[in-house]
Amino acid sequence: MDQAKIRNVAIIAHVDHGKTTLVDKLFEQSGMFSAHGGSTERLMDSMDIEQERGITITSKSGGFRYNDFYINIIDTPGHADFGGQVERVLKMACGAILVVDAQEGPMPQTFFVLKKALALDIPIIVAINKIDKPAARPEWVLDQVFDLFVKLEAPDDILDFPVVYVSAKEGYALRDPEDEARDMAPLLEMITEELPPPAGDAHGPFQLLISSLDYSPFLGRLAIGKITNGSVQINDAVVLSRRDGQLEPTRISKIYKFEKNEKIPVEQASCGDIIAVAGMDSVTVGETFTSKENPLPLEPIAIDPPTISMNFIPNDSPFAGQEGTYVTSRHIGDRLRKETLSDVALHVEDLTDRVGFKVSGRGELHLSILIETMRREGYELQVTRPQVIYHTDAAGKVTEPYEEVTIDVSEEFSGVVIDKLNQRKGKMVNMLKMDGGLTRIIFHIPTRGLLGYRSEFMTDTQGMGMMNYVFHEYGPYCGELKNRHNGAMVSMEKNCVSIAYALANLQERGTLFIGAGEKIYAGQIIGENSRSATLKVNPAKGKKLSNVRSSGADDAVVLTQPRRMTLEDCIAWINDDELVEITPENIRLRKMTMSK
């Protein structure tokens, strides 16, 4: 392919602003589905968890032909917890499409991804999406986007960004809001006209910076990146430049290019192509494949450090080993280290005081997705409460991570939200009136203050609020912070089955997490106490019967529907002396020290 006819484009945006749907429509416009008689919705969201949650978790590459051009599309996550994915894959892009909701405007993650794109000095097309919304206000959004570019000190040439108005759901793009809607051709034409081809010398020494990893059951690890110089063929002898500068010889055994969301084997590739190569199982993100005769390593990818850590330990509950396939610390350690090879924002260390691992990541969602993935693969483990990672500044003072939280909520709920965030040591920095009776509140709050708040926020706003956050900075330690004010109901009965009669009495003391007929062990948390103290209970206590009093003499027991906790709910709920037990079949809460 002629290098001048290649366009490598990253799609960046805040979560749920329509990136993946936009990619689907670009694929459709290229005609790639004509032979199949239709398209697949959210084609790039290939993981089961992505399909279920409707979010992009891992960045992916795809490609298609448009006229004489070949356009490589890089779909990126929109959630702040997966920002490490965005940082590394932007290295492959020669331009970016910034997708912004036509009603909401720029949100916290918009700021984050735009900042990363501007740091690489790549040109940007602004796509104002969802203009078919009844409450769309594209002119206001455009002003807000321009202000964001100015705030991030974008250079003059990038400040003069092209704009396209899009409805990805309906499948059309407009250069001007007054134009007649047709298809996605205006956006595709803008990509070929406004974004440059990849730079580099096709005849120079070979260079390929590894930005992502994949796995093939036949070939092992596949390294994905953009060729920034030279060309490569199958069986070429090259060297791999490690992060420490060490050079290791290897041979390229397979080369793939991306077409649609599939990898297509090819014999060779040249400067500007985004490819996947096989040849070395130990390759990791940030390393460089380069010429053996004239090795020129590229600068490794710098990634923002993690802010949250959790301990992953083997399951030692009375039910340990009954439901999982991989249960030992060796199994868990091997799986975690495998994950770090593809997720550069994840750090894993061995614990020194017990068997297990300290796993550090970008946020609760980042780590909970990893736990859920392991659970579905058959792993059984326990995790501790998330802890923030403290730093010490030059003056010797302890600092902790702070988040910028943006909340859109009805005016009637703004008071309780502000009060709760103030209790969690948050500081309000802005408050704006929005259309439709909404208020936008912006807080700077310690990361610790957000742990466990989301479910409380949804309750306070009757499920109608929107909360987004992004890492802000490391700031001064704000002192002790207590997020949970209720104690736990803990079973004191060993290996029993819960009985409706006992639960009916217990539900008056708090909120139950279990129903009748469930297996329970001593030390397992079965509910939340309405008071702050820990309450030891017997969920298996039955009614005493005699020849005077029969089982049918009383009214039938009526149980309130238990509060079923998701994995994220459990992680956010527990205290320092509690654990979440995760198996392929169940998620349980327990005390760290078991009752004897």
Side-chain angles (χ1 to χ4, degrees), residues 238-417:
V238 297
V239 293
L240 176 66
S241 174
R242 299 290 190 183
R243 283 184 173 270
D244 58 5
Q246 182 181 352
L247 299 177
E248 294 186 18
T250 186
R251 191 174 293 276
I252 302 297
S253 60
K254 204 77 174 177
I255 303 173
Y256 295 94
K257 286 187 180 179
F258 293 91
E259 187 172 317
K260 297 187 293 188
N261 62 332
E262 300 172 355
K263 291 185 287 289
I264 306 299
V266 295
E267 293 294 320
Q268 61 181 15
S270 61
C271 186
D273 287 330
I274 293 178
I275 60 172
V277 298
M280 180 172 280
D281 268 352
S282 60
V283 63
T284 64
V285 170
E287 298 176 338
T288 306
F289 281 116
T290 185
S291 166
K292 187 176 181 180
E293 292 75 21
N294 184 16
L296 294 173
L298 294 165
E299 184 179 351
I301 300 170
I303 302 295
D304 287 346
T307 57
I308 291 283
S309 69
M310 296 170 66
N311 292 344
F312 286 44
I313 56 180
N315 188 11
D316 61 356
S317 81
F319 295 164
Q322 296 181 14
E323 299 171 356
T325 304
Y326 309 105
V327 299
T328 67
S329 61
R330 181 179 63 82
H331 285 137
I332 296 169
D334 290 346
R335 179 63 180 82
L336 291 173
R337 292 187 183 94
K338 176 185 175 183
E339 189 70 19
T340 61
L341 298 176
S342 58
D343 188 349
V344 291
L346 192 76
H347 294 182
V348 176
E349 309 167 51
D350 290 334
L351 293 176
T352 56
D353 57 340
R354 64 181 301 175
V355 175
F357 308 90
K358 178 182 177 182
V359 183
S360 305
R362 283 291 185 82
E364 287 178 278
L365 183 62
H366 183 198
L367 296 179
S368 68
I369 291 291
L370 170 61
I371 296 167
E372 177 65 22
T373 303
M374 292 176 65
R375 184 173 85 90
R376 295 184 182 202
E377 292 173 356
Y379 287 84
E380 188 174 306
L381 67 153
Q382 298 177 131
V383 297
T384 61
R385 184 190 184 199
Q387 303 287 339
V388 301
I389 298 172
Y390 298 103
H391 286 177
T392 303
D393 62 15
K397 293 183 178 180
V398 175
T399 61
E400 63 176 315
Y402 280 70
E403 310 282 337
E404 181 172 287
V405 184
T406 301
I407 290 174
D408 289 345
V409 68
S410 296
E411 191 173 346
E412 60 183 304
F413 302 124
S414 59
V416 66
V417 169

Side-chain angles (χ1 to χ4, degrees), residues 111-149:
F111 178 95
F112 174 82
V113 295
L114 180 58
K115 179 181 177 182
K116 296 299 179 184
L118 291 176
L120 295 173
D121 198 29
I122 58 176
I124 294 166
I125 294 172
V126 173
I128 299 178
N129 190 26
K130 305 187 182 182
I131 60 170
D132 55 315
K133 276 186 173 182
R137 43 182 179 171
E139 292 182 359
W140 177 85
V141 169
L142 181 56
D143 289 340
Q144 296 297 310
V145 171
F146 184 82
D147 291 345
L148 181 57
F149 273 78

